[in-house]
Amino acid sequence: MDVRTVGVVGAGQMGSGIAHVFALAGFEVTLHDISQDALARALGTIGRNLDRQIARGRIAEPDKTAALARIATTTTLADLGRLDLIIEAATERETVKTAIFEDLLPHLRPETILTSNTSSISITRLASRTDRPERFMGLHFMNPVPVMQLVELIRGIATDEATYTTLLTVVERLGKTAAPAEDFPAFIVNRILMPMINEAVYTLYEGVGSVRSIDQSMRLGANHPMGPLELADFIGLDTCLAIMNVLHDGLADTKYRPCPLLTKYVEAGWLGRKTQRGFYDYRGETPVPTR
């Protein structure tokens, strides 16, 4: 299938980034959210991120103008039904995702491909709630989408070869690299990354090191570009906890048990950068460790 039109469900950090890269690559994009304010914020974010790419010499001003012209917005989910490819990028809760797909089904063309940007939830299970499990895949972008090169391609048990080949071509058209992954909890990147972050939280919880010393140790001792606690704040502590719970529940191994301190931060509503407090407090000019 030749994909020309793309719908993105969810205008948050991931959804806006996905819309950005598709529009820049020449696809016609329709961005959906239940909130008109969220759509307006997403367009503002996309514009600013395109400006950064211009400042770095990666694109020219006409590229920005053309990309923005390719993005339409809507608060009506049915408007996506006519498109070739739909990417669900809503919050990382299975009930929310399945409700979106169920609402979409009556409006879809038979050939429309459905995908989810889920970072951990079973693609096979999500696909089974639709009328087209053979045309359903995981299409997991990394954050921030305009910067990160990798896209995980996850087949469900029923995904057919034509769907996989089509999406492999789509990823190549975006100028990104596809990493095929099997449909097991958290796939590849988060299967490795989240336990590392969780172990960093345990290291803090057990008093082995402070927030600052843990992050500094991994930046300078392991050459990581960002410390694990700083990275957790960037991702969102609620997202980290949700993925650890998927790993723990799906693999039934105690090594994936979420750290109680991570749970406590989420219960406090300290979710990281998006709430201005997590392992760091971002309310001042410089982030300050909260522990």
Side-chain angles (χ1 to χ4, degrees):
M1 182 177 177
D2 183 20
V3 174
R4 298 174 184 270
T5 58
V6 178
V8 180
V9 182
Q13 189 175 39
M14 294 303 296
S16 62
I18 292 167
H20 172 146
V21 297
F22 270 93
L24 196 57
F27 295 87
E28 295 295 326
V29 178
T30 302
L31 180 60
H32 169 272
D33 201 280
I34 58 174
S35 164
Q36 192 65 55
D37 288 343
L39 290 169
R41 285 194 300 271
L43 289 176
T45 298
I46 292 168
R48 288 190 297 274
N49 288 337
L50 288 166
D51 285 337
R52 288 192 184 96
Q53 290 178 303
I54 292 171
R56 292 169 184 163
R58 294 180 181 172
I59 65 171
E61 186 69 39
D63 298 321
K64 173 189 173 181
T65 303
L68 289 174
R70 294 188 193 104
I71 302 174
T73 62
T74 182
T75 56
T76 304
L77 196 59
D79 290 345
L80 306 186
R82 58 186 173 78
L83 306 178
D84 300 328
L85 169 66
I86 295 175
I87 304 164
E88 172 274 313
T91 187
E92 190 70 357
R93 293 210 307 270
E94 189 167 345
T95 53
V96 173
K97 294 178 184 298
T98 54
I100 288 168
F101 289 123
E102 287 169 1
D103 288 347
L104 270 169
L105 289 182
H107 310 288
L108 297 177
R109 294 184 300 143
E111 60 270 27
T112 296
I113 294 174
L114 292 178
T115 67
S116 175
N117 184 56
T118 179
S119 54
S120 61
I121 298 168
S122 168
I123 297 303
T124 297
R125 196 162 62 240
L126 289 174
S128 72
R129 302 293 296 271
T130 76
D131 63 351
R132 61 198 65 210
E134 71 285 352
R135 286 190 298 284
F136 192 110
M137 278 195 72
L139 192 62
H140 180 216
F141 290 83
M142 305 296 119
N143 187 30
V145 182
V147 175
M148 300 298 280
Q149 181 66 22
L150 189 76
V151 181
E152 287 182 316
L153 280 181
I154 307 105
R155 302 192 216 206
I157 196 170
T159 305
D160 63 26
E161 188 63 28
T163 299
Y164 172 76
T165 302
T166 296
L167 289 179
L168 186 61
T169 301
V170 166
V171 172
E172 290 170 352
R173 284 176 61 189
L174 295 176
K176 296 189 180 293
T177 300
E182 293 300 318
D183 185 23
F184 289 98
F187 320 128
I188 296 172
V189 172
N190 283 320
R191 173 77 175 263
I192 298 167
L193 176 64
M194 285 302 158
M196 184 199 77
I197 288 175
N198 194 53
E199 194 61 31
V201 183
Y202 266 113
T203 304
L204 178 65
Y205 176 63
E206 293 169 2
V208 180
S210 66
V211 169
R212 197 179 300 280
S213 64
I214 291 166
D215 278 351
Q216 187 178 56
S217 294
M218 294 308 292
R219 283 198 309 271
L220 303 182
N223 205 29
H224 288 194
M226 188 181 293
L229 301 176
E230 182 185 4
L231 179 58
D233 276 358
F234 180 75
I235 293 168
L237 303 192
D238 53 338
T239 300
C240 294
L241 179 59
I243 295 170
M244 287 308 302
N245 281 326
V246 167
L247 281 166
H248 190 232
D249 295 344
L251 298 172
D253 192 324
T254 56
K255 73 179 181 180
Y256 298 115
R257 182 172 67 96
C259 179
L261 183 60
L262 177 61
T263 302
K264 190 64 66 180
Y265 268 72
V266 173
E267 287 174 346
W270 292 19
L271 308 181
R273 285 185 175 272
K274 61 187 173 185
T275 60
Q276 295 296 299
R277 279 192 291 187
F279 292 112
Y280 293 86
D281 188 326
Y282 300 93
R283 293 175 296 175
E285 291 185 13
T286 304
V288 178
T290 56
R291 201 173 183 88

